[in-house]
Amino acid sequence: MSQDTRVDKVIAESVASDSNVVNQNSIVESKAKKERRKRSVAWDHFTSAVDSEGIKKGVCNYCKKEYLADTKEHGTTAMLGHIRKCKKTPCNVDTRQSKIAFQSVTGGNKGDVSIVSWKFDQEECRKALCRMIILDELPFRFVEKEGFKQFMKVVQPLFRIPSRTTITRDCFDLFDEEKNKMRSIFKKTQQRVCITTDTWTSVQRINYMCITAHWIDKNWTLHKRVINFCPISSHRGEDLAKGIVKCLHEWGLHRIFTVTVDNASSNSVCVAELSKQLTKWGTNLLGGKHLHVRCMAHIINLVVQDGIKEANILIERIRQAVRYIRQSPARWKNFQECCVDENLAKKSLRLDVPTRWNSTYLMLNRAIEYEGAILTYADRDIGLAHHLEFGHICVCDSDSDIVDEEQPVGSLLCSDWDSIKRIAKFLELFFKLTLKVSGSLYITSNIHFLEICQVGFCLSKLISSDDIVLAQMATKMKKKFEKYWGDPTKMNKMLFIPCVLDPRHKFTTLSFALKKMFGDNGATIEKDVREYMKSLFNEYSSSASKDKCGKLSSEVEASSLSYIVDIGDFYEELSRHTSGSGAGNSKSELDKYLAEDTEVGTSDFNVLLWWKYNSARFPFLSEMARDILAIPISSVASECAFSTGGRVLDSFRSSLTSKLVEALVCLQDWLRSESQPISIEEDLDSLEQLEEDLAKVGKEPSIDDI
């Protein structure tokens, strides 16, 4: 009986032991499951531990500091805060301590660096990210892309990447901030501003208007800023004027000197309506006679387009030949072989856009460069001759754009190349002129009339040329030239006055140019320009005197001893008596300036720098010169904004609101530090050269090489 009892006891103990093992195993499994459920980032830097009293803690892997880590009672907030502060954390940065960094020198040689102090700042990084989105025209969703997140995890793990909604809000905040800065500058200086404007239709079929402000500041630095990029109801002149007035009022710009626009009839109505509004504001100088400035680049385009029509067949032969070679990969490969045989670099043949004459010039220029390869290709591929022989071109009536008849293109003969070379050389004059007058980072108004004279002189000379094609082109172009620049009575006086305010020219150069262009009428025109310039100077001098007197009177009224005459008042009156129009026998600033000898013209002569150094001698005249020299003679600055608008509002982002589009376009213009526009054609040539160089060493091109 006792033996059975002992057996039962052993069995019970065995069962209990087995149950304990099972319980322990289940506890271990439960702990393992709990360990696997830890998802906080804190556990990447902490190790879970239990002290002698059974309290769960988290131990820092770097400094071994302990934190209570019972998930039910404490959480991981304290540990996350420690990660940012722990000095031994490998990826941590002490935000209070600046560090030394190396930064590339802007404008320096490759490899030049400068030492700068740096420390991590979340807000500054966010602003820099916002600027990158704007400058590089990236989509807002870019910040949520996996590649960018991986990149930032390596570059700066502490940077908290904002969402696309936050970045959009940051763009609006930055726009308001930069706009308020510029608005305060305009309010403080109260100077006159020249504007250019143009219109554009987006892929959304929405009409947009761009307004660009141009001015020269007190330090004689030329500025250009896009101040408006907003939708308009229509292209009617009245609606355009309303849009401009609304924009100017919003910016506090009521002192407008000139408006540069293209030759659309609606723009004439727009400027007339704007002139009325400036008169209401009391800021329309001389009744707005010089307010309307026609875009010179647009007129040149019209002139050249008429001339190109006379050489249409020759140009069409080159165009069709280029199109034929580019149409097939096999043909292009054969052409490259011809380039190798002729020892020519393998570059792309350019195909023009017929409505853009400058692209036609570039096409002809590249074709002339590869004349030998094209002739060799024509000998090897009979298909090119058949393509030209059976091709047709529409010939328009000489006095209109109505299609008169269709003519066969004809074969490309060796004799055609001589004519093509002369045409390209002729077009080169207008191509360089267009680039010259389209600049917005340097003054162009001082060369406006002189360049017009150069074009007129060249056309007159070519009309009597023995080359029939060039003579016909020049005759046609001269007719269009006379429409805009043939009648001096219809020309804006601001075409002539900037030349006079260039100390290298003055009336000496202007008199010669007027006589060359208008013959005996040149003297009459010069007299009119002198009178208009004198009237404009009197406006500036009288306005400055009123401002000065108003300032003095307000200071006297503000004083409690206003009845006491200050001893300085006598010298103030004496100064006004002996300056400008105060004394009948004394010369005005304008007369003194014109009486001085002209400066010697050198290649590095800086007109703005000359006026900066001499503004103390001509205080009133220098103010007038600041406004006149800032006049842009082309509206290209506003048209360039449409290239940005077209990329911002592409088919993938056509849902952007007009307010956001305006913020992106304006901010890019304000923030961009590039002095030269992006040229896709030049980039293509450089990439082709890169591929050719890498092919010689048997290496495939990569992004690092670019």
Side-chain angles (χ1 to χ4, degrees):
M1 183 69 180
S2 60
Q3 185 175 3
D4 293 336
T5 303
R6 287 195 300 271
V7 171
D8 292 338
K9 185 177 180 180
V10 169
I11 293 174
E13 289 178 352
S14 176
V15 171
S17 176
D18 292 340
S19 64
N20 288 337
V21 171
V22 172
N23 291 336
Q24 289 178 358
N25 290 337
S26 63
I27 292 173
V28 170
E29 290 177 1
S30 176
K31 287 185 177 180
K33 290 181 180 179
K34 289 184 178 179
E35 290 295 333
R36 287 195 296 269
R37 290 174 185 169
K38 292 177 181 178
R39 299 178 180 177
S40 175
V41 180
W43 293 110
D44 294 338
H45 307 275
F46 280 80
T47 301
S48 179
V50 180
D51 62 5
S52 59
E53 298 179 0
I55 299 175
K56 297 180 180 179
K57 293 185 177 181
V59 182
C60 178
N61 296 337
Y62 313 112
C63 67
K64 305 305 178 183
K65 188 172 181 177
E66 297 180 353
Y67 285 86
L68 296 175
D70 190 342
T71 56
K72 294 182 179 179
E73 298 180 6
H74 305 103
T76 59
T77 304
M79 292 189 291
L80 290 172
H82 174 76
I83 294 173
R84 302 189 187 98
K85 299 177 182 178
C86 182
K87 296 182 179 180
K88 293 186 178 181
T89 304
C91 63
N92 207 357
V93 177
D94 186 358
T95 57
R96 297 170 298 177
Q97 178 66 41
S98 297
K99 297 184 179 296
I100 293 178
F102 296 97
Q103 191 176 62
S104 300
V105 178
T106 305
N109 297 324
K110 187 176 182 180
D112 290 350
V113 295
S114 60
I115 300 176
V116 296
S117 61
W118 174 89
K119 65 179 181 179
F120 174 75
D121 189 320
Q122 173 70 20
E123 292 303 317
E124 287 299 321
C125 289
R126 265 180 60 178
K127 290 181 180 179
L129 177 59
C130 181
R131 290 186 176 94
M132 182 183 74
I133 294 290
I134 294 167
L135 288 172
D136 295 339
E137 301 170 4
L138 299 172
F140 294 120
R141 196 180 290 274
F142 173 80
V143 297
E144 298 178 351
K145 297 289 185 180
E146 187 63 28
F148 178 71
K149 291 181 178 179
Q150 294 292 339
F151 174 75
M152 290 308 303
K153 188 180 292 186
V154 175
V155 173
Q156 181 50 268
L158 291 180
F159 178 59
R160 298 187 299 277
I161 300 176
S163 66
R164 67 177 186 269
T165 304
T166 304
I167 282 293
T168 305
R169 187 165 54 249
D170 288 348
C171 287
F172 279 120
D173 293 340
L174 182 61
F175 175 68
D176 292 335
E177 178 185 346
E178 294 295 329
K179 186 174 182 178
N180 289 332
K181 288 180 183 179
M182 288 181 56
R183 189 184 291 157
S184 63
I185 292 174
F186 291 140
K187 183 178 180 180
K188 183 179 179 180
T189 58
Q190 288 294 317
Q191 67 179 72
R192 298 189 181 275
V193 174
C194 302
I195 64 173
T196 60
T197 181
D198 208 342
T199 56
W200 169 73
T201 303
S202 70
V203 293
Q204 303 164 304
R205 310 309 300 170
I206 298 177
N207 300 321
Y208 281 88
M209 177 176 64
C210 177
I211 301 176
T212 308
H214 305 256
W215 75 95
I216 298 173
D217 62 17
K218 294 291 185 181
N219 292 321
W220 290 89
T221 302
L222 180 64
H223 296 276
K224 183 270 297 182
R225 296 289 187 275
V226 174
I227 61 173
N228 185 67
F229 194 92
C230 65
I232 54 176
S233 57
S234 71
H235 292 280
R236 293 174 62 251
E238 293 82 359
D239 294 330
L240 295 177
K242 290 179 182 178
I244 295 175
V245 170
K246 180 181 178 181
C247 170
L248 297 179
H249 188 69
E250 180 182 350
W251 280 88
L253 292 173
H254 299 140
R255 295 161 63 87
I256 303 302
F257 191 68
T258 60
V259 182
T260 304
V261 291
D262 61 28
N263 298 307
S265 57
S266 59
N267 285 330
S268 299
V269 177
C270 171
V271 176
E273 293 296 321
L274 181 60
S275 180
K276 295 177 183 178
Q277 184 61 49
L278 294 177
T279 302
K280 293 179 181 178
W281 289 341
T283 59
N284 204 12
L285 281 176
L286 299 180
K289 295 178 181 178
H290 59 265
L291 185 64
H292 188 181
V293 177
R294 296 183 182 274
C295 174
M296 185 177 183
H298 190 261
I299 296 176
I300 292 174
N301 178 60
L302 297 177
V303 170
V304 177
Q305 287 286 8
D306 276 16
I308 284 181
K309 293 176 183 178
E310 298 299 320
N312 217 4
I313 293 181
L314 287 174
I315 295 174
E316 187 64 24
R317 288 172 185 169
I318 296 294
R319 183 182 294 123
Q320 291 294 340
V322 171
R323 181 179 287 117
Y324 177 84
I325 294 173
R326 287 165 52 105
Q327 273 180 343
S328 165
R331 295 172 188 169
W332 179 246
K333 183 179 180 180
N334 293 337
F335 178 76
Q336 288 184 320
E337 293 175 356
C338 296
C339 292
V340 173
D341 295 341
E342 295 291 329
N343 293 322
L344 296 172
K346 293 183 287 186
K347 297 181 182 178
S348 294
L349 290 176
R350 285 179 171 146
L351 186 62
D352 70 331
V353 180
T355 55
R356 294 174 53 195
W357 72 267
N358 55 335
S359 67
T360 302
Y361 162 75
L362 294 173
M363 178 189 70
L364 297 179
N365 217 28
R366 179 60 62 86
I368 292 170
E369 184 180 351
Y370 286 88
E371 175 188 354
I374 293 175
L375 291 175
T376 302
Y377 182 87
D379 293 337
R380 297 180 181 180
D381 187 355
I382 193 65
L384 175 58
H386 289 300
H387 177 77
L388 295 175
E389 183 178 354
F390 294 103
H392 288 81
I393 180 175
C394 297
V395 180
C396 298
D397 183 70
S398 58
D399 296 326
S400 66
D401 293 333
I402 301 175
V403 177
D404 191 17
E405 59 178 338
E406 285 191 356
Q407 292 184 4
V409 175
S411 301
L412 185 61
L413 306 176
C414 294
S415 58
D416 293 338
W417 287 98
D418 294 333
S419 299
I420 290 295
K421 290 176 183 177
R422 289 194 295 271
I423 292 171
K425 188 68 176 177
F426 177 49
L427 294 178
E428 184 180 7
L429 167 68
F430 298 93
F431 181 79
K432 291 182 177 179
L433 176 59
T434 302
L435 295 179
K436 192 174 183 179
V437 302
S438 299
S440 59
L441 301 175
Y442 52 87
I443 61 172
T444 55
S445 57
N446 61 323
I447 63 170
H448 194 175
F449 182 64
L450 298 182
E451 295 296 342
I452 292 174
C453 292
Q454 169 70 7
V455 172
F457 180 78
C458 180
L459 292 178
S460 299
K461 189 175 181 180
L462 284 176
I463 288 175
S464 56
S465 171
D466 294 334
D467 190 311
I468 299 176
V469 176
L470 288 184
Q472 291 176 345
M473 289 179 64
T475 302
K476 192 73 174 179
M477 294 167 72
K478 183 69 172 178
K479 184 178 180 181
K480 182 70 73 173
F481 178 90
E482 294 288 344
K483 178 181 178 180
Y484 294 102
W485 293 320
D487 187 356
T489 60
K490 297 180 180 179
M491 297 171 68
N492 192 330
K493 295 296 187 296
M494 286 303 158
L495 267 69
F496 313 109
I497 295 178
C499 178
V500 179
L501 291 176
D502 188 329
R504 296 169 297 177
H505 303 304
K506 300 185 179 180
F507 272 106
T508 304
T509 300
L510 184 63
S511 300
F512 175 81
L514 288 172
K515 187 176 181 180
K516 274 287 185 182
M517 188 167 177
F518 301 109
D520 296 336
N521 293 330
T524 305
I525 302 169
E526 179 185 347
K527 182 180 178 181
D528 294 339
V529 174
R530 285 182 181 271
E531 291 178 357
Y532 193 87
M533 193 172 183
K534 185 177 180 180
S535 301
L536 188 61
F537 172 75
N538 290 337
E539 287 279 341
Y540 273 84
S541 58
S542 61
S543 176
S545 299
K546 288 178 182 178
D547 292 342
K548 189 174 182 180
C549 293
K551 184 178 180 181
L552 288 172
S553 62
S554 62
E555 291 176 354
V556 173
E557 290 174 1
S559 174
S560 60
L561 301 177
S562 59
Y563 58 88
I564 299 178
V565 179
D566 187 8
I567 192 172
D569 290 346
F570 170 76
Y571 292 103
E572 291 290 345
E573 293 183 12
L574 178 62
S575 176
R576 290 197 297 270
H577 176 72
T578 56
S579 65
S581 59
N585 296 328
S586 62
K587 288 184 177 181
S588 67
E589 292 179 15
L590 179 59
D591 295 331
K592 291 178 182 178
Y593 167 76
L594 296 176
E596 293 181 357
D597 294 336
T598 56
E599 296 288 337
V600 178
T602 57
S603 58
D604 58 346
F605 185 83
N606 190 324
V607 177
L608 295 182
L609 192 61
W610 187 94
W611 276 105
K612 180 178 181 180
Y613 291 152
N614 291 273
S615 58
R617 296 198 299 125
F618 309 110
F620 297 155
L621 186 61
S622 62
E623 287 294 318
M624 187 174 85
R626 269 202 312 140
D627 294 338
I628 293 177
L629 293 177
I631 299 174
I633 62 176
S634 76
S635 59
V636 173
S638 293
E639 292 178 12
C640 289
F642 299 141
S643 299
T644 302
R647 294 189 298 270
V648 170
L649 271 178
D650 57 16
S651 56
F652 299 100
R653 293 190 290 175
S654 58
S655 61
L656 294 181
T657 63
S658 58
K659 185 64 178 177
L660 184 54
V661 172
E662 180 183 21
L664 293 175
V665 173
C666 291
L667 276 173
Q668 188 188 75
D669 178 75
W670 301 345
L671 299 177
R672 187 181 290 278
S673 59
E674 294 176 345
S675 59
Q676 297 294 334
I678 299 173
S679 175
I680 297 176
E681 293 172 337
E682 292 179 2
D683 293 343
L684 182 61
D685 289 344
S686 63
L687 289 175
E688 289 175 347
Q689 185 63 42
L690 174 64
E691 290 182 358
E692 184 177 346
D693 294 340
L694 293 176
K696 293 179 181 179
V697 297
K699 178 184 175 183
E700 290 295 327
S702 66
I703 281 294
D704 294 335
D705 300 315
I706 301 174

